[in-house]
Amino acid sequence: MKTLVVASKNKGKIKEFKRLLSDFSLLIKGQPENLEVKETGNTFSENARLKALSVSRYSNEIALADDSGLCVESLDGAPGIFSSRYANSDFERISRLLKDLEGCSNRRAFFSCALCIASPIGEILVEVEGRCDGLIVNKPRGKNGFGYDPIFEVLGTQLTFSEMSSYQKEVKSHRTDAFNKLVPELKKIFNF
Ligand code: IMP
């Protein structure tokens, strides 16, 4: 079986990728525990490229990296590429964001996801981006998902990502939007 390393240590993301990749007969491995990749890029795409190249070289396997985050209109796009570094835990990140938005009537936001596949010899095989639009709610709602899911209501659904089942989130998510664009190239790379 062919192997694909998912360049992430985020359990929520790995779980979502396993579902998205379940139609492909690939052995999915997580990022080696002892490898830390510095996210020094200025965009989601730059960071996805850095992670894919570094994990692929280190593991000597083809690697798929995701860099994603939440961009809030009233905060000029913050936390953006700093979404995971905004505070120390999901709870604190959510609390900080709700505090930063206190009194703001414009709650528009979107999740962005950049995906990149790289080969061990340093080739970028494919790069794509996806997006999901929504609103930041006043109080967390729902139990599912990870990260900012409890405060992100998907446009036109009245449900936060955390109130959706994994399947409902999968249909709407920025990661799926990007993944769907990646599929034709993924098939070519692995000769499916
Ligand atoms: P990264 O690992 O640097 O790409 O960090 C992405 C961060 O953005 C995660 O730690 C989450 O806080 C947030 N994030 C990305 N995708 C999602 C999602 O689907 N739901 C909720 N939060 C997300």
Side-chain angles (χ1 to χ4, degrees):
M1 200 187 251
K2 292 160 185 164
T3 300
L4 177 68
V5 181
V6 173
S8 177
K9 292 182 184 173
N10 181 319
K11 289 199 176 81
K13 276 191 196 175
I14 294 172
K15 196 171 151 204
E16 290 188 7
F17 276 119
K18 283 197 168 157
R19 275 181 67 97
L20 288 169
L21 290 159
S22 61
D23 286 344
F24 300 89
S25 55
L26 286 170
L27 177 64
I28 309 296
K29 289 187 186 165
Q31 177 171 326
E33 270 308 315
N34 44 353
L35 175 65
E36 288 298 332
V37 184
K38 290 239 163 26
E39 297 184 16
T40 53
N42 291 313
T43 61
F44 292 114
S45 305
E46 280 176 21
N47 282 334
R49 205 177 304 152
L50 284 171
K51 289 191 255 189
L53 284 170
S54 157
V55 171
S56 176
R57 229 175 261 136
Y58 186 90
S59 58
N60 207 28
E61 306 275 8
I62 290 177
L64 164 66
D66 154 309
D67 198 61
S68 47
L70 181 61
C71 305
V72 180
E73 220 175 82
S74 295
L75 303 177
D76 295 326
I81 57 166
F82 300 103
S83 292
S84 60
R85 293 167 268 178
Y86 205 44
N88 291 324
S89 66
D90 282 345
F91 178 81
E92 289 170 277
R93 285 185 271 274
I94 286 177
S95 304
R96 175 169 175 199
L97 190 64
L98 291 180
K99 199 160 188 334
D100 289 353
L101 275 180
E102 253 169 28
C104 279
S105 55
N106 175 7
R107 315 289 291 192
R108 277 196 293 269
F110 64 91
F111 269 117
S112 187
C113 170
L115 297 180
C116 176
I117 297 185
S119 78
I121 57 164
E123 280 175 302
I124 299 293
L125 302 176
V126 52
E127 287 179 294
V128 291
E129 284 198 61
R131 153 179 187 139
C132 176
D133 287 276
L135 298 169
I136 304 300
V137 297
N138 292 318
K139 272 195 267 168
R141 299 197 320 249
K143 294 260 176 298
N144 301 327
F146 68 96
Y148 298 91
D149 281 349
I151 54 165
F152 183 80
E153 184 181 287
V154 181
L155 212 65
T157 69
Q158 296 182 335
L159 294 175
T160 66
F161 267 154
S162 283
E163 292 175 305
M164 294 184 175
S165 65
S166 328
Y167 175 71
Q168 282 175 307
K169 178 177 176 187
E170 191 177 304
V171 171
K172 298 282 181 190
S173 102
H174 47 305
R175 203 159 288 105
T176 307
D177 186 36
F179 186 77
N180 288 340
K181 297 176 188 166
L182 186 95
V183 167
E185 290 306 314
L186 190 72
K187 287 181 177 164
K188 285 187 209 155
I189 294 166
F190 290 103
N191 288 320
F192 287 132

